[in-house]
Amino acid sequence: MRKWCKALIFIVPLLCMVAAVNWYVDSYACLRVTYDQIGEQMAVNSMNVAGLEESGFNDRNLLLACLKQQKEPKEVIVAGSSRVMNFDHTMFGTDSFYNTGLSESTFKDLLAVVGILERNGLLPEKMVIGVDAFLFNTSHNNDRWMELEQYADYMEKQLDNTARTERTDAGPAAGFGTQINTGRDYGKLLSLDYFRYNVTLLPEHKRFAVAYTQDWETEQYLKHYDGSIAYQRSLREVAVKDVEELTRQSMEEQVVYRMTDYHEIDERSMELFAELTAYLQGRGVEVILYLPPYSPMLYDYMQSAAQYQIVFQVEERIRQIASEKQAALYGSYDPAGCSLEMTDLYDIYHVKTEKMMDTFYPVLLPGNAAW
């Protein structure tokens, strides 16, 4: 009996310490703050969220949590990479809007976003899809999309079913897994693996912590309730010479984000993209394809470099798909169409918010796709 008492005297404080560290740091937002709670504040209370970037948040889990909170389809959905994240509802003249842009987005992420919307009955009236050239470069895909893998797989099966049956209502794809938990997971409270990781963050004073505000801009990176973002002040007030220097460095190193080792367009992805456009249209969604521009310095460099000619091939293929599917096409990788200047960028790739709608100009306007 004494041995058990001694063991308990040792074990109980140890377990309390594990629980306390896991609760306090909670790096994956499983305990003290959850993505479901954040999503509710955004979707229900129209609150903007600060502290996410400093917390190292998982934007795919947050997206899923926010979409789960939505009760009805939006009029406008924006999808794509971080290069579309600062499109907000005021630019499209409607409060019925959500920006589903994801950092380091791949084509699989696009499939997953549409899969989430489809599974939850949230397909919008209009969907603006940012089409980066790197979407069709599988040699530079990352694995972040696997956070939403079951939705990407579901959507790919839907497209395959539709292609086989030549129908736009193929029904739910088989084999959809358990819904991803974006709420509280008490199993993490006493998890030693979670504890070991959380402990490494303590010396850096890092923990998952957010604050809610109705301000549209703050000192920090801010996630808006409509899914869009406002960059932190340090980026909003960046000096143009710093942007130019970063661009020159990229050119000297011959590195363009996710465009190196890009020898050919992945035909499977391009085929699925065309099918996805038709699939959405078959469900009554007005599809608007958007080509985000590169900066003048970077675009001129890519024009002169043989290894980046594939960029222009991708743009031509997207133009063909837009024409064939009678989908609206806005923008271009070429910055000349919107008179983009180096002063209009936060960094090498991201256009300042006040310039975004200038980049969103019509190239093809079938039907009544224009705003």
Side-chain angles (χ1 to χ4, degrees):
M1 186 68 179
R2 288 181 179 178
K3 289 183 179 179
W4 281 107
C5 289
K6 289 181 179 179
L8 287 175
I9 290 172
F10 174 77
I11 292 173
V12 169
L14 182 62
L15 292 178
C16 288
M17 181 182 68
V18 169
V21 170
N22 285 343
W23 182 272
Y24 175 78
V25 179
D26 197 19
S27 52
Y28 294 168
C30 301
L31 298 168
R32 177 176 38 79
V33 181
T34 70
Y35 288 108
D36 280 353
Q37 290 173 331
I38 299 170
E40 182 178 10
Q41 288 290 334
M42 293 171 66
V44 178
N45 299 323
S46 299
M47 298 300 290
N48 307 317
V49 190
L52 288 167
E53 187 173 71
E54 293 77 6
S55 298
F57 78 113
N58 183 319
D59 60 348
R60 285 151 180 82
N61 280 353
L62 180 58
L63 171 68
L64 187 58
C66 287
L67 291 181
K68 286 196 303 185
Q69 294 285 344
Q70 294 179 12
K71 305 304 181 185
E72 58 185 21
K74 299 294 187 182
E75 179 184 347
V76 180
I77 289 283
V78 171
S81 70
S82 61
R83 300 180 74 203
V84 303
M85 281 184 182
N86 46 340
F87 277 128
D88 65 47
H89 71 280
T90 65
M91 301 175 185
F92 293 87
T94 177
D95 290 330
S96 182
F97 170 98
Y98 198 78
N99 190 320
T100 65
L102 294 169
S103 58
E104 300 182 33
S105 184
T106 66
F107 180 70
K108 291 282 193 177
D109 282 302
L110 177 59
L111 288 176
V113 167
V114 177
I116 295 170
L117 296 171
E118 168 82 340
R119 286 285 302 186
N120 290 284
L122 295 173
L123 288 178
E125 295 177 28
K126 300 177 183 179
M127 190 164 186
V128 178
I129 301 176
V131 189
D132 287 285
F134 56 67
L135 285 184
F136 310 101
N137 180 14
T138 55
S139 66
H140 267 262
N141 276 354
N142 59 68
D143 61 1
R144 294 188 65 183
W145 68 272
M146 296 185 72
E147 299 280 352
L148 302 173
E149 182 177 14
Q150 63 195 54
Y151 293 98
D153 290 347
Y154 162 78
M155 200 62 230
E156 190 165 345
K157 289 175 183 176
Q158 286 287 86
L159 295 178
D160 287 340
N161 288 347
T162 302
R164 283 196 301 270
T165 60
E166 296 184 353
R167 291 187 292 113
T168 57
D169 187 10
F176 190 86
T178 305
Q179 291 281 350
I180 297 170
N181 177 27
T182 52
R184 192 159 280 135
D185 179 4
Y186 284 112
K188 292 289 188 184
L189 192 61
L190 296 177
S191 168
L192 293 180
D193 287 337
Y194 199 38
F195 172 76
R196 279 192 289 268
Y197 179 66
N198 284 330
V199 162
T200 66
L201 301 181
L202 283 173
E204 304 171 34
H205 303 286
K206 291 184 66 175
R207 63 195 291 255
F208 200 100
V210 299
Y212 302 107
T213 178
Q214 293 184 329
D215 293 337
W216 203 245
E217 289 182 345
T218 64
E219 294 291 324
Q220 297 174 282
Y221 175 99
L222 193 68
K223 187 75 168 178
H224 297 145
Y225 69 85
D226 67 359
S228 65
I229 65 167
Y231 287 104
Q232 54 269 43
R233 182 180 294 277
S234 59
L235 269 181
R236 298 199 307 271
E237 297 180 354
V238 66
V240 64
K241 63 180 180 59
D242 293 334
V243 177
E244 291 173 347
E245 179 56 34
L246 285 171
T247 306
R248 275 191 290 270
Q249 182 179 341
S250 177
M251 290 158 52
E252 289 168 3
E253 295 173 355
Q254 299 184 15
V255 174
V256 177
Y257 178 67
R258 286 173 61 185
M259 296 299 294
T260 53
D261 301 321
Y262 196 175
H263 305 299
E264 60 182 6
I265 295 169
D266 181 63
E267 290 300 328
R268 170 64 174 167
S269 298
M270 187 64 76
E271 176 186 335
L272 284 173
F273 182 78
E275 291 176 3
L276 182 66
T277 300
Y279 183 93
L280 289 167
Q281 291 173 325
R283 276 159 172 66
V285 179
E286 187 177 312
V287 177
I288 298 95
L289 307 180
Y290 165 68
L291 302 176
Y294 289 98
S295 74
M297 284 178 63
L298 199 58
Y299 189 79
D300 289 346
Y301 166 66
M302 289 191 296
Q303 278 189 310
S304 64
Q307 67 265 39
Y308 297 123
Q309 296 307 298
I310 197 163
V311 171
F312 313 110
Q313 297 173 29
V314 172
E315 178 156 350
E316 181 56 32
R317 292 288 294 274
I318 298 305
R319 285 174 177 264
Q320 291 173 5
I321 289 173
S323 179
E324 291 168 2
K325 305 300 182 185
Q326 289 293 289
L329 176 66
Y330 280 64
S332 170
Y333 299 143
D334 184 350
C338 59
S339 302
L340 191 70
E341 299 179 1
M342 296 303 292
T343 53
D344 296 320
L345 286 102
Y346 292 117
D347 54 26
I348 301 178
Y349 302 105
H350 298 93
V351 176
K352 290 182 177 179
T353 299
E354 55 267 29
K355 185 67 176 179
M356 286 297 288
M357 287 310 288
D358 288 342
T359 74
F360 191 73
Y361 59 90
V363 177
L364 293 176
L365 283 179
N368 60 348
W371 271 272

